[in-house]
C-alpha cells in the first residue's frame, strides 16, 4: 500500500485511527480518509479540531438559514408581538450561534437595528402625540386655568426626588417622635426649607416667605378638614389630629417649593 501524504495538521490536532474498513480508513473527530483508485487522498470537508474531550471547532462555518428573509421579525424567528427584551435575547442568542459567518452576523444585526429603530420611532410618536393632546387641552382650557399654569413649572427629575426624600424624612421623623413631642419642630424645619427653595427660584425673600407660609396655612386648613373624615380604625392610637394635619402640610410644602415658579 502506498504511503498516505497528509498536510501538516495544525498544532493541537490529534489524528487517531480507531478502525479500518473496506471503504477507507476511519479517523476520530469526524474525519474520514478515503483512498481512491488514483492513489489520491480525499478528506471530508467537515473536520473537527480539538483535544481529547470530544469538543472542538468544526472546519465548516454555520450559515444562518433565515439571513435572506426580508421581515426582521421572521428573520430573528420572532412573532410581530415580541417585546424589546425578547428581540434582544433572540439577537444575542443568534449572534453567539452564527458569529463565525460574516453574512449571517450582518443579517442578524440589520434585523435587530431595524426593530430597535421601529420601537424608538413608536415611542417618540406616542410621546409627541401625548404632548400634542396636552397642549390642545391647555389651549382649550378657560383663561383662569391658563393664568394658573403660568405660575407652575416642572423641575428635573433629580430635583423632584431630592425634595420627596426631604419631606418624607420629615414626615417619618414626626411619626417616630409623635409619642414624645409634637411635630412643631419638624414643621418649622420644613417651612424653612420650603422658603429657601422658593427664594432660590424667585430671588425674592419676601415673596418666598409669603408663598411658603401660604402653603403651610392652606395645608393645615385642608388637613383639618380631611383628617377627621378618615375612619379611626385606619389610624393608630398615637396618631393625633395634629400629627395627621402636619403630614398634609408636608405635602403642600413639597408641592409649593417644587412646582411653583
Amino acid at each position: 500500500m502506498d504511503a498516505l501524504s497528509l498536510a501538516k495538521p495544525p498544532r493541537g490536532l490529534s489524528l487517531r485511527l480507531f478502525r479500518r474498513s473496506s471503504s477507507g480508513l476511519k479517523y476520530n473527530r469526524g474525519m474520514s480518509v478515503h483512498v481512491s483508485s488514483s492513489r489520491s487522498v480525499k478528506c471530508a470537508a467537515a473536520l473537527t479540531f480539538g483535544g481529547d474531550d470530544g469538543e472542538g471547532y468544526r472546519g465548516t462555518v454555520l450559515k444562518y438559514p433565515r439571513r435572506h428573509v426580508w421581515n426582521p421579525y421572521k428573520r430573528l424567528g420572532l412573532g410581530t408581538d415580541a417585546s424589546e427584551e425578547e428581540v434582544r435575547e433572540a439577537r444575542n442568542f443568534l449572534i453567539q450561534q452564527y458569529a463565525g459567518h460574516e453574512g449571517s452576523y450582518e443579517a442578524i444585526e440589520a434585523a435587530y437595528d431595524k426593530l430597535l429603530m421601529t420601537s424608538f420611532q413608536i415611542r417618540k410618536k406616542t410621546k409627541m402625540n401625548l404632548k400634542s393632546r396636552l397642549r390642545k387641552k391647555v389651549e382649550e382650557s378657560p383663561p383662569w386655568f391658563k393664568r394658573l399654569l403660568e405660575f407652575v413649572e416642572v423641575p428635573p427629575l433629580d430635583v423632584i426626588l431630592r425634595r420627596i426624600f426631604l419631606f418624607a424624612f420629615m414626615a417619618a421623623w414626626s411619626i417616630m417622635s409623635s409619642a414624645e413631642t409634637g411635630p412643631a419642630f419638624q414643621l418649622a424645619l420644613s417651612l424653612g426649607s420650603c422658603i429657601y427653595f422658593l427664594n432660590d427660584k424667585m430671588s425674592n425673600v419676601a415673596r418666598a416667605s409669603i408663598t411658603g407660609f401660604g402653603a403651610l396655612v392652606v395645608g393645615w386648613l385642608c388637613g383639618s378638614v380631611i383628617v377627621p373624615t378618615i375612619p379611626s380604625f385606619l389610624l393608630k392610637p398615637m396618631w393625633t389630629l395634629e400629627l395627621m394635619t402636619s403630614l398634609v402640610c408636608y405635602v403642600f410644602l413639597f408641592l409649593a417649593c417644587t412646582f411653583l415658579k
Side-chain angles (χ1 to χ4, degrees):
M1 179 178 177
D2 296 338
L4 302 179
S5 60
L6 294 175
K8 184 179 179 180
R11 188 174 183 181
L13 171 65
S14 59
L15 301 177
R16 296 182 180 178
L17 180 65
F18 65 89
R19 78 170 183 269
R20 187 186 299 273
S21 65
S22 59
S23 59
L25 304 177
K26 299 290 186 178
Y27 284 79
N28 67 346
R29 302 289 177 264
M31 183 181 75
S32 299
V33 180
H34 303 276
V35 182
S36 63
S37 58
S38 58
R39 302 179 186 278
S40 61
V41 178
K42 295 182 180 179
C43 296
L47 296 177
T48 303
F49 303 112
D52 296 332
D53 56 356
E55 296 182 358
Y57 299 94
R58 299 194 66 82
T60 56
V61 179
L62 294 177
K63 297 181 180 180
Y64 187 47
R66 291 193 296 268
R67 64 185 183 277
H68 298 303
V69 176
W70 179 83
N71 189 304
Y73 284 102
K74 293 182 179 180
R75 188 184 301 177
L76 296 180
L78 299 171
T80 54
D81 58 344
S83 63
E84 289 188 26
E85 184 65 24
E86 292 173 338
V87 171
R88 188 178 300 108
E89 291 178 357
R91 176 257 182 193
N92 294 338
F93 174 78
L94 293 175
I95 286 296
Q96 292 178 358
Q97 297 296 317
Y98 301 97
H101 186 252
E102 184 177 358
S104 300
Y105 177 85
E106 293 177 353
I108 295 169
E109 280 292 316
Y112 174 73
D113 292 341
K114 187 174 182 179
L115 293 179
L116 200 65
M117 182 60 64
T118 302
S119 177
F120 172 75
Q121 291 174 352
I122 292 175
R123 289 200 306 269
K124 186 177 180 180
K125 185 178 180 180
T126 303
K127 187 176 181 180
M128 292 178 62
N129 291 338
L130 179 61
K131 289 184 177 179
S132 301
R133 289 196 296 268
L134 290 176
R135 190 180 298 110
K136 186 177 180 180
K137 290 291 184 181
V138 171
E139 293 174 355
E140 296 175 352
S141 60
W144 65 268
F145 186 75
K146 293 180 181 179
R147 288 194 295 269
L148 183 62
L149 290 179
E150 293 177 357
F151 297 96
V152 178
E153 65 177 1
V154 180
L157 181 60
D158 59 330
V159 174
I160 298 175
L161 294 177
R162 286 199 297 268
R163 306 282 169 82
I164 290 176
F165 175 79
L166 172 63
F167 288 98
F169 173 77
M170 292 296 181
W173 187 9
S174 300
I175 294 174
M176 293 175 63
S177 60
S178 61
E180 302 174 359
T181 59
F185 181 68
Q186 291 85 346
L187 271 177
L189 287 179
S190 300
L191 177 60
S193 302
C194 179
I195 294 174
Y196 172 81
F197 293 137
L198 288 171
N199 182 61
D200 188 51
K201 294 189 291 184
M202 299 177 177
S203 300
N204 189 324
V205 178
R207 183 184 173 190
S209 301
I210 294 174
T211 304
F213 276 110
L216 178 63
V217 171
V218 173
W220 193 269
L221 292 176
C222 291
S224 300
V225 175
I226 296 173
V227 172
T229 62
I230 301 176
S232 58
F233 66 88
L234 296 177
L235 305 176
K236 293 184 177 182
M238 72 278 301
W239 289 6
T240 62
L241 176 63
E242 182 184 11
L243 173 63
M244 298 300 299
T245 305
S246 66
L247 297 181
V248 178
C249 290
Y250 294 139
V251 175
F252 277 82
L253 291 173
F254 160 74
L255 294 176
C257 69
T258 305
F259 298 103
L260 290 182
K261 290 183 180 180

